[in-house]
Amino acid sequence: MKKLVLLGALALSVLSLPTFADEKPLKIGIEAAYPPFASKAPDGSIVGFDYDIGNALCEEMKVKCVWVEQEFDGLIPALKVRKIDAILSSMSITEDRKKSVDFTNKYYNTPARLVMKAGTQVSDGLAELKGKNIGVQRGSIHERFAREVLAPLGAEIKPYGSQNEIYLDVSAGRLDGTVADATLLDDGFLKTDAGKGFAFVGPAFTDEKYFGDGIGIAVRKGDALKDKINGAITAIRENGKYKQIQDKYFAFDIYGK
């Protein structure tokens, strides 16, 4: 009888092994220099909206999140060589990027804006940017927009490795301004001591050619992970977890229409 019980227990344990073996950790690439979406706490840990959303999605999918830090312009190359399984780092869904990766449905959507010295007048035609030094994050949609739209108007486009480096040079007067996500600029710069004396100027930028259709999570071409993540996004939107995370960082609906 003891042997039968033992054999039965062994059979059950063997049957349960594939369940755990299949649950491989999900390696997620992120640039932790983009507050309030992702940044480093004093103890070195990653914090922010993107990070919390990623952990909520992993919890919903019942997989372990392993976060891999990478500079933004190295995220897609890292995905392609399988260093990571997904990119969750405020990456806009654009037609150009779709040539290299697949995207999930959006998990938020905000416009881009230009920040310069408070009181600077910039019309919708942006002619006032001629001769101005504008900082952009290298490899971002904002760099492409700036080079294709602002540079022909006479603006000098200066690429940087991170948005935090741009803030330093804007504050120090080495740059006249920067173009980036409006929420990022508001929380990460304008509401800080370094951002005093600066403000949004000119129009909001929403051209889908450059800014796509919201912010999504990138996966490798043809990867079934996309459908799993889409299911998890829908689930956390419906069960209230998304709103709970959103309200921790923003006083408005960042998901958009």
Side-chain angles (χ1 to χ4, degrees):
M1 181 61 71
K2 288 183 180 180
K3 287 183 178 180
L4 287 173
V5 171
L6 180 60
L7 288 172
L10 285 171
L12 286 172
S13 66
V14 169
L15 287 172
S16 66
L17 281 176
T19 301
F20 293 100
D22 290 345
E23 298 301 328
K24 296 179 181 178
L26 184 63
K27 294 179 289 184
I28 304 177
I30 191 169
E31 184 201 38
Y34 205 65
F37 297 98
S39 59
K40 301 297 279 291
D43 64 1
S45 61
I46 303 173
V47 295
F49 178 77
D50 282 350
Y51 180 73
D52 288 355
I53 288 291
N55 286 330
L57 293 174
C58 285
E59 182 180 349
E60 184 65 34
M61 293 186 291
K62 296 179 172 56
V63 295
K64 179 183 178 182
C65 272
V66 175
W67 293 91
V68 180
E69 289 186 61
Q70 181 84 45
E71 285 198 358
F72 191 82
D73 59 357
L75 286 169
I76 288 180
L79 180 66
K80 287 185 172 182
V81 299
R82 297 179 179 273
K83 181 180 177 181
I84 55 178
D85 303 309
I87 299 169
L88 204 167
S89 194
S90 291
M91 184 170 281
S92 295
I93 303 168
T94 66
E95 292 303 317
D96 189 52
R97 285 178 177 147
K98 285 180 183 177
K99 296 173 184 176
S100 301
V101 299
D102 282 346
F103 278 99
T104 64
N105 299 333
K106 71 171 185 178
Y107 67 97
Y108 80 85
N109 193 9
T110 54
R113 292 295 306 269
L114 176 67
V115 160
M116 299 180 74
K117 283 275 190 184
T120 303
Q121 297 300 312
V122 177
S123 62
D124 288 353
L126 308 174
E128 297 85 352
L129 297 184
K130 183 177 181 179
K132 302 297 184 182
N133 292 312
I134 304 299
V136 289
Q137 185 167 8
R138 188 181 298 112
S140 68
I141 56 171
H142 307 100
E143 179 183 18
R144 182 188 172 205
F145 169 76
R147 291 193 183 284
E148 295 185 12
V149 177
L150 305 186
L153 297 174
E156 298 291 333
I157 309 306
K158 309 290 184 182
Y160 285 73
S162 76
Q163 197 64 37
N164 286 337
E165 295 174 56
I166 295 173
Y167 296 153
L168 290 173
D169 278 4
V170 170
S171 297
R174 290 185 286 269
L175 287 172
D176 296 300
T178 180
V179 172
D181 178 86
T183 306
L184 167 79
L185 290 170
D186 190 33
D187 281 59
F189 184 60
L190 295 179
K191 290 180 179 177
T192 69
D193 289 340
K196 289 180 179 177
F198 295 89
F200 288 126
V201 300
F205 304 121
T206 58
D207 189 339
E208 286 189 10
K209 176 182 177 181
Y210 299 104
F211 304 107
D213 186 27
I215 306 298
I217 299 167
V219 299
R220 283 183 288 276
K221 280 284 189 181
D223 196 330
L225 178 61
K226 180 180 80 171
D227 293 332
K228 293 180 181 178
I229 296 176
N230 277 337
I233 292 173
T234 299
I236 66 170
R237 290 275 299 159
E238 292 177 348
N239 65 23
K241 185 64 177 178
Y242 182 95
K243 188 175 187 306
Q244 180 184 338
I245 295 170
Q246 171 190 274
D247 292 350
K248 178 179 173 182
Y249 295 97
F250 312 109
F252 60 93
D253 177 14
I254 195 172
Y255 187 78
K257 295 180 180 179

